[in-house]
Amino acid sequence: MQQGTGGSDTEVTWEDQQNINKFGRLNNRFHELEDEIKIAKETNDNLEDASNELILTDEEVVRFQMGEVFAHVPKEEVETRIEEMKEVTSKNLEKLEEEKESVLAQMAELKKILYGKFKDSINLEED
Amino acid sequence: MAAASSSSASPKTTMERRGIPGAQFVEDVETYLSQTGLDVNSALAFLQERLQQYKLVEMKLLAQQRDLQAKIPDIEKCLDVVATLQAKKGTGEALIADFEVSEGIYSRARIEDNDSVCLWLGANVMLEYSCEEATSLLKKNLENAKASLEVLIADLQFLRDQVTITQVTIARVYNWDVHQRRIHQTSASTAAKDS
């Protein structure tokens, strides 16, 4: 992301610098959040697929992965576990989405302030 | 560990954090150049070198962060397994598990009721613990890992701020130089016209 400051007239105050720093931090966090959201969505999909498979299977004992081994677990217990895991992942996903919205809002605010002061001398867009 | 928040420190002080030197904020380019006694090119070279050093430290910290982020789910999985073993203890039935012997080859194991687990501590050391001790040890490790990760993330944020400050300073010094040259050019051409 470009953060160039051109122009010889506008002075950069400490407050401006802090705003620029904050924008940089928020932008980094935004990219991290996008990655985390992608992973959370994948995990959610996998759990969905797993519970669907579970409904289709007629075995009583399912091999459930715990750590590096596959433990033999009765079907009902596996269903409960998967439900719990789905709960956890969807709550996590919700939290991440909320944080992403907040970060975007803060970045929009800062963009207004910084473009207001520096106009063309600063570039805050993704390249 | 010096960790002053950058928003409360005055712009003149250069604080450092855990060995990372802080970037000095420049109020006015001209004063900065006269204070340091550097000409524009040396100042730019110094700032560029600082930027490179920051980048190196950033690589190192990012690698550490990746390691920690991989370790945490690992510890959580271990906690899960120990919890399952403890749950099975009450029922009296054995836990049957399939484990990997080699790539693509699995074998079945029958884990009887037991009170203890062995934990791999690293460095070719494995210790036997009771289930409760194992749970508390794993929980402690998990908390330590999470705390270290937080500190690391704060370090990275501080570092990135210093990188941004340095980049902005480089741009301003360069622009000031261009501005100065333009002024000298116009004054030189007016002097030539007058004479």
Side-chain angles (χ1 to χ4, degrees), chain A residues 3-15 17-18 20-22 24-25 28-29 32 36 63-74 77 81, chain B residues 6-11 25-28 65 74 77 80-81 84 88 95-100 106 108 157 160-161 164-165 167-169 171-172 175 179 182:
Chain A
Q3 275 179 339
T5 5
S8 40
D9 307 290
T10 6
E11 274 312 309
V12 180
T13 65
W14 177 234
E15 198 188 321
Q17 182 66 69
Q18 284 182 295
I20 298 176
N21 285 350
K22 185 161 172 210
R25 278 203 300 272
N28 272 323
R29 183 68 192 135
E32 280 175 15
E36 284 177 30
R63 286 155 199 64
F64 186 79
Q65 183 178 24
M66 315 199 74
E68 300 302 317
V69 305
F70 294 89
H72 289 211
V73 185
E77 199 181 321
R81 283 196 188 231
Chain B
S6 52
S7 49
S8 52
S10 96
F25 177 67
V26 169
E27 287 279 3
D28 176 45
Q65 184 188 18
D74 243 2
K77 270 192 274 188
D80 206 13
V81 172
T84 313
K88 276 289 186 180
L95 180 68
I96 306 188
D98 296 337
F99 63 97
E100 191 175 18
Y106 291 78
R108 193 151 289 174
Q157 283 189 338
R160 289 208 178 103
D161 280 353
T164 313
I165 295 179
Q167 284 172 331
V168 169
T169 310
R172 288 169 65 203
N175 291 334
H179 190 59
R182 226 181 281 144

Side-chain angles (χ1 to χ4, degrees), chain A residues 22-99:
Chain A
K22 185 161 172 210
F23 186 84
R25 278 203 300 272
L26 287 172
N27 195 41
N28 272 323
R29 183 68 192 135
F30 174 70
H31 287 296
E32 280 175 15
L33 280 171
E34 291 222 304
D35 288 338
E36 284 177 30
I37 287 178
K38 197 175 90 161
I39 294 178
K41 282 202 176 130
E42 273 175 29
T43 317
N44 233 3
D45 286 342
N46 287 341
L47 287 172
E48 213 32 72
D49 290 342
S51 65
N52 288 342
E53 280 295 323
L54 206 55
I55 299 173
L56 294 173
T57 185
D58 47 1
E59 287 184 37
E60 259 317 302
V61 174
V62 182
R63 286 155 199 64
F64 186 79
Q65 183 178 24
M66 315 199 74
E68 300 302 317
V69 305
F70 294 89
H72 289 211
V73 185
K75 197 162 134 183
E76 298 86 38
E77 199 181 321
V78 179
E79 269 173 18
T80 331
R81 283 196 188 231
I82 293 199
E83 281 308 313
E84 282 172 24
M85 285 163 80
K86 275 204 286 196
E87 267 281 327
V88 168
T89 359
S90 5
K91 275 215 193 89
N92 193 29
L93 189 62
E94 227 177 86
K95 200 175 64 147
L96 289 173
E97 297 272 7
E98 266 177 38
E99 196 182 341

